[in-house]
Amino acid sequence: RYSTHSRGGVSGMEEILSRVVAPLPSYETRDKSPPPPETNSLEFMYFYKSLDKEDKLCFLTKLSQDFGVDHKSVSELALKLLDTQLRDLATILLAEDRLRYTLTPRYKQLFSHISRVEGGVKFLVDLRADVLEIISSKASDSPHIRDLNGALKSLLSEWFSVGLLRLERITWQSPCEILQKISQYEAVHPVRNWTDLKRRVGPYRRCYAFTHAAMPGEPLVVLHVALTEDISDNIQSIVREFATLDSDEDVNKINSAIFYSISSTQAGLQGVELGNVLIKRVVRELQSEFPVMAQFSSLSPIPGFSAWLQGLLSQCRKEGRAFDLLSEEEWKEIQHATDSTPGTPTVDSLRKLLSSNEWMRSERLCGVLEPVLMRLCAWYLYGEKRRGYALNPVANFHLQNGATMWRLNWHADTSPRGVANSCGIMVNYRYFLNETSKNSARYLQNKVIAASDQVLGFVSQFQKASKL
Amino acid sequence: RYSTHSRGGVSGMEEILSRVVAPLPSYETRDKSPPPPETNSLEFMYFYKSLDKEDKLCFLTKLSQDFGVDHKSVSELALKLLDTQLRDLATILLAEDRLRYTLTPRYKQLFSHISRVEGGVKFLVDLRADVLEIISSKASDSPHIRDLNGALKSLLSEWFSVGLLRLERITWQSPCEILQKISQYEAVHPVRNWTDLKRRVGPYRRCYAFTHAAMPGEPLVVLHVALTEDISDNIQSIVREFATLDSDEDVNKINSAIFYSISSTQAGLQGVELGNVLIKRVVRELQSEFPVMAQFSSLSPIPGFSAWLQGLLSQCRKEGRAFDLLSEEEWKEIQHATDSTPGTPTVDSLRKLLSSNEWMRSERLCGVLEPVLMRLCAWYLYGEKRRGYALNPVANFHLQNGATMWRLNWHADTSPRGVANSCGIMVNYRYFLNETSKNSARYLQNKVIAASDQVLGFVSQFQKASKL
Amino acid sequence: RYSTHSRGGVSGMEEILSRVVAPLPSYETRDKSPPPPETNSLEFMYFYKSLDKEDKLCFLTKLSQDFGVDHKSVSELALKLLDTQLRDLATILLAEDRLRYTLTPRYKQLFSHISRVEGGVKFLVDLRADVLEIISSKASDSPHIRDLNGALKSLLSEWFSVGLLRLERITWQSPCEILQKISQYEAVHPVRNWTDLKRRVGPYRRCYAFTHAAMPGEPLVVLHVALTEDISDNIQSIVREFATLDSDEDVNKINSAIFYSISSTQAGLQGVELGNVLIKRVVRELQSEFPVMAQFSSLSPIPGFSAWLQGLLSQCRKEGRAFDLLSEEEWKEIQHATDSTPGTPTVDSLRKLLSSNEWMRSERLCGVLEPVLMRLCAWYLYGEKRRGYALNPVANFHLQNGATMWRLNWHADTSPRGVANSCGIMVNYRYFLNETSKNSARYLQNKVIAASDQVLGFVSQFQKASKL
Amino acid sequence: RYSTHSRGGVSGMEEILSRVVAPLPSYETRDKSPPPPETNSLEFMYFYKSLDKEDKLCFLTKLSQDFGVDHKSVSELALKLLDTQLRDLATILLAEDRLRYTLTPRYKQLFSHISRVEGGVKFLVDLRADVLEIISSKASDSPHIRDLNGALKSLLSEWFSVGLLRLERITWQSPCEILQKISQYEAVHPVRNWTDLKRRVGPYRRCYAFTHAAMPGEPLVVLHVALTEDISDNIQSIVREFATLDSDEDVNKINSAIFYSISSTQAGLQGVELGNVLIKRVVRELQSEFPVMAQFSSLSPIPGFSAWLQGLLSQCRKEGRAFDLLSEEEWKEIQHATDSTPGTPTVDSLRKLLSSNEWMRSERLCGVLEPVLMRLCAWYLYGEKRRGYALNPVANFHLQNGATMWRLNWHADTSPRGVANSCGIMVNYRYFLNETSKNSARYLQNKVIAASDQVLGFVSQFQKASKL
């Protein structure tokens, strides 16, 4: 419908932008201005979608630079504000309000209008995904792009506030379209086929998603729950076991809710926290379905542990500090168990060993490695930080939510992926419901991690063993 | 649940506010701060609802004064911004962003959190209704209250943007709860009973409403449409005729869609334009149902005409300028027709005449008054302005939407209410679909009213007759 | 669409019938015959609906007489069957099957086809209502009409078997159309206005209906339930009390479910028992909503008691056996209380007294009458029979369902209607869930009425007092 | 719940049956009898499902023999009926009604009760599937079993009458559970994977199913339609083409509706015609969606053609009548094309050739075989009969519905399955809407097949070529 925009690259962009992005009305007439015609928004969307990656960068750069804030007006109003400081409050408040209004980027208005047309909100979510990709890939270091990102995030935060989200339980009765998306979005434990999927929405399982009125049929964040007797210590029993596929749930066997996968589906909603709210809502939902349910816990992967460990070993070897990590006996046992060729430093043998998943098949090696890897992993989760918060993103997520780092589980994910990522170790972040608020506040404000005795025990073993 | 707040008036308020309205996090930690517990929002809502009107005013005044913007920080940052003007853009942008952030009133955060709990959005809509009531009743002239209103309006505008609204057609199959509300909210032509209501959602009628995901079951703005052969020139045939109640619609008899009532239901959404968008959506809906439908028009009341006319007559009499309004012959005819007691000035007779609806029953009086009232009414609608826009609010609404002031109709609403309000005259604002955008822009920007020859004819008669 | 059937009365009917009611295919080709075109069914329906009452009778008589069973074939096949009695079983079975097939009335096929078109099932339900009306009004005593009724009933019984019924809970959220019907159909305690209706579907109330896939939006039988602390002993507290209209239900105050009204809505479904099944389903529904609910009871009217009593008094007077009903003291007290004019026989005074509802206002009269009326009423319910079953139809209904005649309640329905029908007395039929099957069987098979000690006490008082 | 039925085979069965299958009430009390408790039905269902195949046969034999009709009563009433022949009609009608009642098998009552419990209807559908299996596998030749089948069929016919069926359009938005079933039930062109399935419910396709109120979520008969420009002459373009998967439908490219697959899913509903009604309903549905659509046609497989042809060739060879089928030239060409070893009779070469699908790859062979196979196939479809109706079941189905045998298509199904079944030939049965009623009647009553000139041309070629 929007005829050929073949009016050559940059000038075409400029033409579109100057036509479509309306100037900010004057402060006085801001409530009197007619909204621009809907076709403006549609044209912008259509044009943007037709661009390739490179042109998008160029276009967004233009948009953010030339259609943002009018710096001159801002500084004038800032000056005026300072001049009013000794006057009455009404005058000050008015000056502030004018300043606030003038600090609105021109493109923010456009985004508001876009949000009103069909598919507009989804378009903006995807637009922000592009902006984030530009920033993280360092394709641009323009501060304007960063401002654009901020404006988008603040709008999306308003629209995706919880009052507008709808909790949906996904079952085998749900539309195929949604189930297919659930399957595609599952990032933690990939769905292999439709039987696998059917299992994940069948008896002894729950699958919940948030959807949004402006993006119907699109799950925004998905939480998979297993209903079990005890808190699960491995993922195989959850995603590989099909015995119960056709059975009816026996309520008496359900004491625990295990969150074994949570996936955000919209890159563009980064920083708009939905996952934590989803967990809270689901806990309430489960409590109303199972009034006596008392145990809520995640069974979480530990992405990055293996990589971190390899890095650590490599560094220790370089610095000749291998004994800081493992005791002499431990190194010896490893040497024995690996039959490493004489002359090879054991650190290298160990690194090589861990780079494949062969060792999992040897009971002896497993026996030797378990205590070592468990205490190293505990340290990785508990002790490694980034700006004071847990380095591991999954840990950081659950700790922010107020969970307790509760139990490390050996042989918990024996899939090739699980072994490669975290030597097969998984961790339960447990939600003690009457402690989560307190835990969350202490973590976010004071960076204190709530952890169980098991975890703290491993951490202290690590600290004794190493002089790190 | 929220135990007795009997901690005595003002100090109780202060205690609540200081506990519940969290301070703005520092700019650096703004993304790292945990949201306050939901119970804060619930406690605020519960407390506010328990207050009586006077205490609400006191409470809102406190909230707006003590939990708004930190003026000191703002002026410091304004100063800092001015200092950066010669530095690089990144620095300027950052200074602007800090300033923008600091201009956020503390209570705005609270409102965002409230919007997330169940019933929160509706609470804020109602809260704003209270604020508007305070402002319009002049219960307070605090500039802070005005700021509070501005902050609420901007939040509500985001949440009630069109992408989040749902168009619902209301029928006799709709939930009773909704139909009862439709009935209660109908302000233009009151619904008398359930048969009357059934008629308004039955054959040859359409009733549409916008609802919002965060306020389920609550129609926000309601539009009643009659499907007719020709553009209706009176309301009786629409709301008093029940012949077709059980008949099937004959598509061949449907050429026109008459918007005969539009009501906003939420006082708190004043200024958040929903009505115009609803009309546009409904036009689209009707076009898809009746592809050949060509005539869209309102049949609108003219509230305020009688009052304006009485005022005008009174003033003219005082100023002795009665002949500016009616010609000598006209005055004579009125004198004859009214048999006014000799000595009474005819202006007074006329004023008295128009203050009841007796004259409607006299054919002779009607004959005399029709040309006079029609041209006065045309002038009232077309010529009387407020800040340059049509004084009559209904006219202003449809003209903003791009409608044309199309036809004045004599004897169009013969109900007591209709005669009392506008001497029984009604007006069609007609929507010529390919002119509405242009009309809307011309009206809003240049204050030009699109009007038909009939209307302009009356206006010019008025101008000739009077020397006003 | 089906053009003017002005082809004059009877011959027009005959023409239609012979064209539309297809002959029964031969036994051999019965599975090979194409169904007649749908237009046949539509034409029949259209024609029938256009007839007035008298013509309907004529038409149905023709249909039942001339398009029923082929008696000649039947008797031939009956003869043939007798001839096969000494042959092998296969031959006998075949002869039986042919006979069975030939006993199918021709019109039964037509009805099957009608059931397949839109609105067809509803048409047949209404058709049967007409047939029943003909029979009960003795407009015809044709045995063919009775056969027609039998055939319709057997078809309707199949279609309205429980597997095809859907239990719907009616609330204020239900479509207005359904609620309006619920209101119209309520025969036991008429709904006065929409607030009254809202009450009956609001908190502490439940309203359930069966609907049928072939008659969407049409409640077939409606049950009103009040949720109370104790088993209600009067109807005022249920239908006149609005205190709880906006309150939330407090589960702790709900111990009893009182069925206070059950109405069948389709005259044509007489004899197709839906009410009993509805009560059973609702009990299950309530048990799942309130797992600890233990008391289920009706609060039922006693239609016919007053009329029966007047008849009895009149007869006793005629036969001079007044003392068989009331003791001498009782008669005296009544004489005193009524101040009856000397000379008037007290029986007449009593009859007159009971024919209005004045006596309800006199405490003294109430005191005198209570014991008398209660024991007479107990006898009416328990002792008066028709073919061995309870004469009172409401009693018969609940006793068939297995309820126990549990408690007579004085001053239980003080509405004019209630006093006129049953001197204000109502009765609880209580459902002891683990006795209903047994009770039902004993009542239906052995005509034994399960009754409480209270009821049996009154009955025995009656038996002692009277020599009836 | 229904405790161990380990009471040993036959005696256990007898015990259950005599307890659960209630005797027919006497004619007089037939409306007065309480229904047996629901647990009877549940116990019967539970018991039957627990039996293995052999025991089911034994059980059903007992049920049908010992709980059918009371032959003695039947013959007595038949005798009585004959005695009444000279009496008044009321007496005759009553005797007939008694006889009719007595001809009801006892088990029919049981089935009615079973239909009322949850899952009961589905149970009976499956029970009848077992009965049909017993009959067709000749596991029993008991005439009682045949009677049982008849009784079940007549009940199911009532319950599955069209008024109770619901047409559902299946899309990618439909519940996964239904789509999985659609996929499993597709017998004509098997669904290979979920993308394939998505295609069949996506743009330019329609998929419709009948469901029934008593068997929710269970499609009973499924019709797949392709929306095309012209009447499709091959199936590849329908089920193998994915180009349009994400496109929007262009209404201007839709002139034809091609029914390319229709599958019944419930073996137990054999003889209860749903497929024909579904086609009619879908035609109406499509006409309302595409008012100008003018071409409706199937694209149908020809199961059995290859087998029939092999049989024919084999027989001709035996009887030395090969020249009756193909002309001398044709045989010669085949000989050349096949390079058949000298000495091998060409008939054998041809049979061998056709038994694999190699020949499809040779253009020469295809050229030689096309005219031969097309005329043989036309004859197979048009000329081969069973009891006067088309032998081929698919042809018989569409001809009964009133379709015209319209076009044979060469190379229409080149899948291995298609070549193996019908040498890759498919046929269009075309629905000329204003001829279907007439065609259907002529076919069913007079066994006349409506066919196009193309088909009749092939048939006449065949007749000329052969002396069959």
Side-chain angles (χ1 to χ4, degrees), chain D residues 62 78 88 142 174 182 196 225 245 253 277 363 408 419 430:
Chain D
K62 264 189 197 313
D88 61 307
S142 154
S174 300
I182 295 285
D196 189 359
V225 185
L245 194 50
K253 289 193 181 153
V277 196
E363 221 168 289
L408 263 68
V419 180
R430 185 150 172 198

Side-chain angles (χ1 to χ4, degrees), chain D residues 63-82:
Chain D
L63 175 70
S64 62
Q65 267 172 12
D66 304 347
F67 299 87
V69 159
D70 177 349
H71 306 295
K72 198 154 146 282
S73 303
V74 167
S75 65
E76 283 168 13
L77 283 165
L79 195 58
K80 216 171 262 176
L81 175 65
L82 291 174

Side-chain angles (χ1 to χ4, degrees), chain D residues 15-192:
Chain D
E15 190 272 322
I16 285 273
L17 286 172
S18 62
R19 191 153 43 73
V20 157
V21 194
L24 211 60
S26 72
Y27 181 76
E28 284 71 22
T29 65
R30 67 197 189 285
D31 285 341
K32 285 265 160 287
S33 304
E38 234 180 44
T39 46
N40 275 14
S41 299
L42 294 171
E43 190 171 357
F44 182 92
M45 290 161 70
Y46 185 85
F47 182 82
Y48 181 80
K49 283 184 201 160
S50 74
L51 297 177
D52 61 22
K53 205 171 164 181
E54 212 169 315
D55 282 346
K56 281 181 180 172
L57 171 55
C58 170
F59 185 73
L60 290 173
T61 306
K62 264 189 197 313
L63 175 70
S64 62
Q65 267 172 12
D66 304 347
F67 299 87
V69 159
D70 177 349
H71 306 295
K72 198 154 146 282
S73 303
V74 167
S75 65
E76 283 168 13
L77 283 165
L79 195 58
K80 216 171 262 176
L81 175 65
L82 291 174
D83 288 349
T84 65
Q85 291 301 308
L86 296 175
R87 314 241 332 248
D88 61 307
L89 253 166
T91 309
I92 296 179
L93 288 176
L94 185 63
E96 283 177 355
D97 199 41
R98 277 172 172 278
L99 182 54
R100 189 189 287 122
Y101 179 71
T102 311
L103 280 163
T104 313
R106 222 167 126 172
Y107 50 69
K108 192 167 178 182
Q109 274 203 325
L110 173 70
F111 295 157
S112 281
H113 294 134
I114 286 177
S115 79
R116 277 146 220 219
V117 304
E118 212 187 305
V121 171
K122 175 69 175 152
F123 173 83
L124 293 171
V125 168
D126 293 342
L127 184 77
R128 181 159 178 249
D130 291 348
V131 171
L132 287 168
E133 157 76 13
I134 287 169
I135 293 173
S136 71
S137 72
K138 316 222 156 136
S140 159
D141 62 351
S142 154
H144 293 99
I145 290 281
R146 244 175 291 129
D147 254 32
L148 184 71
N149 180 37
L152 276 167
K153 189 188 156 192
S154 112
L155 283 170
L156 292 172
S157 295
E158 284 309 336
W159 297 327
F160 287 85
S161 80
V162 183
L164 303 173
L165 296 175
R166 206 179 120 207
L167 183 71
E168 288 194 52
R169 179 168 167 206
I170 312 295
T171 70
W172 197 235
Q173 304 298 325
S174 300
C176 237
E177 181 163 46
I178 291 218
L179 278 158
Q180 196 194 23
K181 283 181 183 165
I182 295 285
S183 171
Q184 286 165 350
Y185 287 146
E186 169 58 28
V188 188
H189 305 290
V191 175
R192 287 166 308 163

Side-chain angles (χ1 to χ4, degrees), chain B residues 171-180 194 197-198, chain C residues 171-180 194 197-198:
Chain B
T171 71
W172 197 236
Q173 305 299 324
S174 300
C176 237
E177 181 162 46
I178 291 218
L179 278 159
Q180 197 194 23
W194 285 84
L197 180 58
K198 190 171 178 179
Chain C
T171 71
W172 198 236
Q173 305 299 326
S174 300
C176 236
E177 180 162 46
I178 292 218
L179 277 159
Q180 196 193 24
W194 285 84
L197 180 57
K198 191 171 179 179

Side-chain angles (χ1 to χ4, degrees), chain B residues 13 51-61 134 139:
Chain B
M13 289 182 193
L51 297 177
D52 61 20
K53 206 172 161 180
E54 211 170 314
D55 282 345
K56 279 181 179 170
L57 171 54
C58 170
F59 185 73
L60 290 173
T61 307
I134 287 169

Side-chain angles (χ1 to χ4, degrees), chain A residues 171-180 194 197-198, chain D residues 171-180 194 197-198:
Chain A
T171 70
W172 197 235
Q173 305 297 326
S174 299
C176 237
E177 181 162 45
I178 292 218
L179 278 158
Q180 196 193 23
W194 285 83
L197 180 58
K198 190 171 180 180
Chain D
T171 70
W172 197 235
Q173 304 298 325
S174 300
C176 237
E177 181 163 46
I178 291 218
L179 278 158
Q180 196 194 23
W194 286 84
L197 180 58
K198 190 171 179 180

